[in-house]
Amino acid sequence: MQSHASGVNVLPAPPEATQPQNELGRRVAEIRKARGMSLRSLATAAGVSSSFLSQLENGRTNASVSSLRKVAAALGLTPAQLLDDGITHTAGVLRAADRPTIPLDGGEKFVLSLPPLRQLEVYAGTFLPGATTGPDPYVHGSSQEMFVVTSGSVLLELDGTDYSMHKGDSIEYLSSVPHRVMNPYSTSAEVLWINSPPTPDEVSADGSAGSHTI
C-alpha cells in the first residue's frame, strides 16, 4: 500500500457509543421478524455471518457501511429506511438531530439525501481520532462520487493508495473503486460524500452484484 501521508500519529479508537448501535440492532431484529425471516436466512441473504448478525441485533457490534447496505437490501429497504422509517422531510429542511445515523467504528455517518430526493445521494460523516468506515474497503454501484473534508484531516484509502485529506480538500472517483475512510490523527474530522446518480446496486469488492439499495 502506497501512502502520501507523513507525520501521522495513530491513536486507538475510542470506546464505541452503544445507543446508536443498540437502536439499529433492535430495528434489524424487529423488521427481520416482521418479514418472517430467521436470523440465518437474513444473514445468508445479506452475505454476512449469522454470528455477526446476532451481535448486531443485540447491540454488541457496529455495522460497517458495506454491511449496513447489505442487511438493508436483504430486508428490502434503503439504509435510510433501516436507520429510521419515521423521518419526515418537510419543506426540504432536515434538522441535524433528525438525521438517520450509521454508527461507524469510532464515528458516525449521517444520511442527508432522504426521499423524495432522487438525483443525489449525500452523506455527512464525523470521525473521532481512530475512527474508520470499517476494516475493509467497500464499493457501491458505479456512480461519480465526490469526497470532501469539511473539518480536520482523514486518510482516504482508494484502490490501495492512501490519500491524506485536509479541510477543504476534495477528491472524485467512481464508487465502484474500493475505498474506505480512517482518521489516524489526534483531532476529529467531518466529511461529505456526494454520489450522482444514487448508487442502485450493492457490489462486493470481489465484483459480485447484490440487491437494490440507495
Side-chain angles (χ1 to χ4, degrees):
M1 179 181 296
Q2 181 182 353
S3 175
H4 297 298
S6 61
V8 176
N9 296 318
V10 179
L11 297 178
E16 297 170 355
T18 59
Q19 185 174 355
Q21 69 191 50
N22 285 343
E23 178 65 17
L24 174 60
R26 181 189 63 78
R27 283 187 52 74
V28 170
E30 287 181 352
I31 296 170
R32 172 179 63 78
K33 292 172 183 177
R35 298 282 197 274
M37 302 176 72
S38 68
L39 189 143
R40 178 173 294 182
S41 64
L42 175 57
T44 299
V48 300
S49 70
S50 295
S51 61
F52 163 77
L53 187 59
S54 176
Q55 290 178 20
L56 177 66
E57 290 190 356
N58 287 284
R60 294 196 297 268
T61 188
N62 277 333
S64 68
V65 175
S66 178
S67 59
L68 177 69
R69 285 178 175 273
K70 291 176 181 178
V71 171
L75 291 170
L77 301 171
T78 68
Q81 290 169 332
L82 178 59
L83 290 164
D84 190 346
D85 64 356
I87 293 297
T88 58
H89 201 189
T90 304
V93 176
L94 177 63
R95 302 299 181 187
D98 294 332
R99 297 177 298 184
T101 303
I102 305 170
L104 301 177
D105 184 6
E108 292 178 309
K109 189 171 185 177
F110 305 101
V111 183
L112 303 187
S113 51
L114 300 180
L117 185 61
R118 298 297 185 187
Q119 302 306 312
L120 291 175
E121 183 179 23
V122 186
Y123 295 88
T126 299
F127 289 84
L128 299 178
T132 73
T133 51
D136 301 309
Y138 64 98
V139 299
H140 47 100
S142 189
S143 295
Q144 192 74 20
E145 179 161 301
M146 175 174 284
F147 178 78
V148 186
V149 179
T150 57
S151 177
S153 300
V154 296
L155 291 184
L156 172 70
E157 181 183 337
L158 182 64
D159 201 22
T161 298
D162 285 356
Y163 295 90
S164 183
M165 308 287 293
H166 308 286
K167 180 180 178 180
D169 291 347
S170 63
I171 186 171
E172 293 183 65
Y173 49 88
L174 291 178
S175 61
S176 56
V177 177
H179 56 281
R180 75 179 184 121
V181 181
M182 64 206 89
N183 180 7
Y185 299 98
S186 59
T187 58
S188 298
E190 296 182 352
V191 304
L192 290 173
W193 294 265
I194 304 168
N195 287 275
S196 181
T199 53
D201 297 314
E202 177 62 45
V203 183
S204 63
D206 61 8
S208 59
S211 302
H212 177 83
T213 66
I214 63 171

